[in-house]
């Protein structure tokens, strides 16, 4: 048995980050990996709480203190098996969860001023080791059930449903409008946060386990929802949210104004070696340009850091609130600053200045924070007299995403949505207003997190399995 509770003696230590100058020259992940003695030492800092707040605040309720103890004892394979029991992609969550707001932010030794256990880094280490050592089992389908499941959308929510339902013996077909699977894991999140082979090996495991992927298949264009309902015994809609929020300032349609996801997708595609005409023509390439990114969430952080890596002449981020009130993770802001990004806080675009139809600058008005609103968030208002102009020949709009109009796109007016356009589900059954059509991930929650998409996928698989078993029983009884 390893000694635990070593937090008073051993300081918190994250895996070393590559130096900013080096890492801003490529799209590889910025953190080096833990070596085993370091992972063991850091795990041994855990205070083994009887009621572990870290696990309570992990959306998957991972058995964190238990796999930390096993890691501290050098029992890595068991640690992996336990971590894998509650998550379909622990090494991905370990890399990109905002741990400061979830598990690590609720670690009791953080509250006592010793610095949280580095849970995410240990989780990544355990499962990366499992892949290297060949401990990750192939997906073995259970005995065939003769029922088929259709999954619309191959992001973390859809892939989780596919993984678990195939394991239970269902025929599983995944439809995605992209040519590669993974959703935002593949085309949204940049490689410096999540290297693409880490995603692709998960997809390959499902393919090898008999999940059938229909790439380039857009529901609404290639089939209606009703046609897929005829084809499968149950469906899950896991299409994410992709309608970019617009900018109202004059000039926002000038050439050189681009959408965040177009910018990030082009960059990720280049990483795969694809030909991307809009990148190759310079439209979506920041090389040599003065770049302004508008927005303060994680998407904006990914854009500024991508622009730096593409060789932008300068990169600024405009955000209308201040640092303490931004939605993006503080860790990502710090990374961006280290890499040379300038943040212009309390600033909003008033007008985009055009020359010959191209953007050449942004007129910025200064903002100040008002009283907290009903949600407790400080409101913002214009601060008279504080205008300035910034040079810009590429402006990236990163103001967030709303759902597409799925009832219209899917030709399914009876599919019920909320006033925000997200799919309305019964949270007990995870089913939409259509019998046998479930939903998971961002299309239910609005733009959220990978770990919540995995959690929803897990819940849908559980409810869908129960529903399909009951249906199979009633068919047998009727026969
Ligand atoms: C730039 C960016 C950075 C982010 N960074 C982080 C981060 O660091 N950490 C974190 O936890 N979260 C992050 N997120 C959020 C996270 O990526 C999402 O919450 C998560 O991917 C949602 O999963 P999902 O499966 O619901 O949807 P998605 O990952 O969006 O996948 C949906 C899939 O559905 C497909 N699809 C859509 N419509 C159709 C259709 N009609 N027919 C067929 N297929 C369709 C899409 O092609 C896509 O592949 C980030 C998001 C963005 C945009
Ligand atoms: S899944 Fe996310 S919140 Fe849960 S333990 Fe892992 S890093 Fe923490």
């Amino acid at each position: 048995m390893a000694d635990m509770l070593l937090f008073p003696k051993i300081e918190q230590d994250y895996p070393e980050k590559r130096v900013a100058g080096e890492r801003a020259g490529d799209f590889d992940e910025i953190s080096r990996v833990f070596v085993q003695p370091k992972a063991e030492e850091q795990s041994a800092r855990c205070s083994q709480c009887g009621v572990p707040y870290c696990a309570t605040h992990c959306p998957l309720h991972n058995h964190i203190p238990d796999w930390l103890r096993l890691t501290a004892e050098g029992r890595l394979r068991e640690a992996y098996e336990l971590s894998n029991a509650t998550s379909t992609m622990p090494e991905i969550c370990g890399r990109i969860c905002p741990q400061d707001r979830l598990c690590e932010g609720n670690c009791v030794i953080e509250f006592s001023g010793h610095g949280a256990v580095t849970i995410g880094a240990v989780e990544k280490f355990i499962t990366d080791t499992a892949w290297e050592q060949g401990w990750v089992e192939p997906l073995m389908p259970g005995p065939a059930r003769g029922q088929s499941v259709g999954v619309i959308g191959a992001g973390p929510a859809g892939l989780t449903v596919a993984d678990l339902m195939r394991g239970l013996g269902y025929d599983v077909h995944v439809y995605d409008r992209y040519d590669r699977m993974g959703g935002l894991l593949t085309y949204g999140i940049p490689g410096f946060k999540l290297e693409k082979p880490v995603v692709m090996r998960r997809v390959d495991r499902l393919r090898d386990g008999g999940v059938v992927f229909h790439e380039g298949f857009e529901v609404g264009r290639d089939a209606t929802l009703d046609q897929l309902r005829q084809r499968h015994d149950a469906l899950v809609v896991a299409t994410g949210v992709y309608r970019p929020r617009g900018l109202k300032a004059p000039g926002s349609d000038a050439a050189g104004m681009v959408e965040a996801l177009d910018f990030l997708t082009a960059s990720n595609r280049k990483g795969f070696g694809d030909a991307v005409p809009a990148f190759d023509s310079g439209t979506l390439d920041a090389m040599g340009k003065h770049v302004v990114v508008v927005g303060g969430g994680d998407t904006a952080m990914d854009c500024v850091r991508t622009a730096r890596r593409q060789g932008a002449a300068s990169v600024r981020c405009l955000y209308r609130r201040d640092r303490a009130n931004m939605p993006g993770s503080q860790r990502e802001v710090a990374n961006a600053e280290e890499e040379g990004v300038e943040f212009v806080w309390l600033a909003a675009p008033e007008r985009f200045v055009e020359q010959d139809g191209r953007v050449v600058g942004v007129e910025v008005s200064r903002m100040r924070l008002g009283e907290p609103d009903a949600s407790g968030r400080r409101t913002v208002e214009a601060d008279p007299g504080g205008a300035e102009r910034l040079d810009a020949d590429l402006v990236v709009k990163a103001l967030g995403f709303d759902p597409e109009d799925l009832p219209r796109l899917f030709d399914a007016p009876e599919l019920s949505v909320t006033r925000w356009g997200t799919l309305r589900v019964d949270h007990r059954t995870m089913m939409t207003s259509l019998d046998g059509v479930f939903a998971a991930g961002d299309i239910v929650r609005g733009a959220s997190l990978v770990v919540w998409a995995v959690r929803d996928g897990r819940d849908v698989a559980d409810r869908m399995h129960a529903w399909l078993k009951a249906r199979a029983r009633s068919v047998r009884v009727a026969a």
Side-chain angles (χ1 to χ4, degrees), residues 6 33 45-46 67 104 206 229 305 348 360 368 392 420 453:
L6 295 182
V33 284
R45 296 179 69 243
C46 172
W67 47 252
E104 294 179 20
L206 301 196
R229 287 179 82 194
R305 298 178 67 203
V360 291
R368 64 184 176 206
W420 298 281

Side-chain angles (χ1 to χ4, degrees), residues 35 83 96 115 188 203 239 283 285 323 368 380 417:
V35 287
S83 147
I96 60 171
V203 175
T239 48
T283 307
D285 184 0
R323 185 182 193 125
R368 64 184 176 206
V380 273
V417 294

Side-chain angles (χ1 to χ4, degrees), residues 2 5 43 106 170 206 259 282 290 293 300 347 387 447 453:
L5 282 79
S43 300
N106 290 281
Y170 295 95
L206 301 196
E259 296 294 348
H290 294 289
V293 175

Side-chain angles (χ1 to χ4, degrees), residues 162-206:
D163 188 341
L164 298 174
M165 293 305 279
R166 184 68 190 137
L168 288 165
Y170 295 95
D171 292 336
V172 178
H173 288 251
V174 180
Y175 302 90
D176 200 289
R177 61 187 175 191
Y178 279 139
D179 55 344
R180 290 188 183 88
M181 303 297 101
L184 290 172
L185 300 177
T186 298
Y187 283 134
I189 299 173
F192 51 81
K193 279 166 56 181
L194 175 62
E195 285 172 7
K196 301 307 150 184
V198 174
V199 183
M200 291 304 134
R201 67 188 176 190
R202 282 275 163 208
V203 175
D204 291 344
R205 179 177 166 274
L206 301 196

Side-chain angles (χ1 to χ4, degrees), residues 177 218 239-243 402-407 409 417 421 443:
R177 61 187 175 191
E218 181 166 337
T239 48
V241 290
Y242 284 87
R243 191 156 56 84
D402 289 316
E404 293 162 279
D405 182 355
L406 285 197
L409 285 176
V417 294
I443 192 58

Side-chain angles (χ1 to χ4, degrees), residues 96-98 152-158 175-178 182-185 188-189 193 217-220 238-242 261 264 298-299 302 401 404 410 440-443 447-451 453:
I96 60 171
C97 269
I152 308 173
Y175 302 90
D176 200 289
R177 61 187 175 191
Y178 279 139
L184 290 172
L185 300 177
I189 299 173
K193 279 166 56 181
F217 190 112
E218 181 166 337
V219 179
T239 48
V241 290
Y242 284 87
L261 208 49
L264 294 172
D298 283 332
T299 302
D302 289 350
F401 303 93
E404 293 162 279
F410 285 4
D442 281 5
I443 192 58
S448 178
L449 293 172
V450 170
V451 65

Side-chain angles (χ1 to χ4, degrees), residues 266-324:
S267 175
N268 277 317
R269 280 193 179 283
K270 290 306 289 182
F272 279 107
D274 295 353
V276 184
F279 182 93
D280 299 333
S281 69
T283 307
L284 294 174
D285 184 0
M287 169 75 120
K289 293 181 180 158
H290 294 289
V291 178
V292 170
V293 175
V294 185
D298 283 332
T299 302
M301 297 309 104
D302 289 350
C303 290
V304 289
R305 298 178 67 203
T306 295
R308 280 292 293 137
R309 283 161 174 76
Q310 289 177 351
S314 69
V315 186
R316 290 194 181 95
C317 180
L318 285 192
Y319 182 56
R320 62 201 185 122
R321 291 187 167 84
D322 63 2
R323 185 182 193 125

Side-chain angles (χ1 to χ4, degrees), residues 1 49 78 116 137 149 152 231 242 263 267 279-280 297 350 395 406 450:
M1 279 272 285
C49 306
E78 291 161 85
E137 302 277 348
V149 169
I152 308 173
R231 227 181 262 181
Y242 284 87
F263 179 66
S267 175
F279 182 93
D280 299 333
E350 180 80 15
V395 175
L406 285 197
V450 170

